[in-house]
Amino acid sequence: AVVLNFWATWCAPCVKEMPTLDALQAQFGDKGIQVLAISQDREGALVAKPFKDKNGWNSLALYTEAAGKFQRDADLNGLPTTIILNKAGQEVGRVEGEVNWTSPEVEQKLLAIAQIAMMRQGRFADIDSQHTGTRIIKHKDGHLIGATRAIRMPRRWPGSGPIRCSD
């Protein structure tokens, strides 16, 4: 499962939930759950990286997308918003607002999604792979190029772009 989180340094609920996303990645990153936290700060890594470092979120890589195109293409209504993708790149869940990602209920649901994917593929989720012709997230030269969602409102995200990895 991919936990795709959109956040910003100026968003109080985002800042409150980030330690739980960091803990989720630390605890379950090797169990088929990958957390991608994408900063929507207009200043990009210039603001987000020092903020991330100051707060000690060491398990999360820093991704930024200052233009907000990916946010618009994903039909986000506000921050924080988290989209859960299964191994096939389908949106299987969406949460608008703050979540405690280390609560037992949330962890159980995420692990169930990851286990289904692992059983079908015989291995852990890999966000950089292509599955049945559908790319979850294409990683090239440190840029995330796009994603596909299929459950709630079937359509392709047109690639937006570029989301930069700053770590």
Side-chain angles (χ1 to χ4, degrees), residues 15 47-58:
V15 173
V47 171
K49 181 159 180 36
F51 191 80
K52 176 189 172 289
D53 293 345
K54 180 182 104 182
N55 285 288
W57 303 326
N58 299 319

Side-chain angles (χ1 to χ4, degrees), residues 84-86 88-94 148-155:
I84 312 299
L85 303 172
N86 66 14
Q90 298 169 319
E91 180 177 329
V92 294
R94 179 178 289 229
T148 302
R149 73 182 220 196
I151 298 290
R152 242 177 70 157
M153 298 155 94
R155 69 179 177 91

Side-chain angles (χ1 to χ4, degrees), residues 7 18 45 72 84 95-96 98 106 112 121 139 147 153 155:
W7 70 285
M18 287 301 285
R72 285 189 296 276
I84 312 299
V95 180
E96 295 176 348
E98 177 190 336
V106 172
Q121 298 294 321
H139 187 286
M153 298 155 94
R155 69 179 177 91

Side-chain angles (χ1 to χ4, degrees), residues 22-35 124-125:
D22 187 64
L24 181 71
Q25 178 61 37
Q27 186 173 358
F28 294 104
D30 62 347
K31 293 179 177 72
I33 297 173
Q34 296 297 311
V35 179
F124 290 116

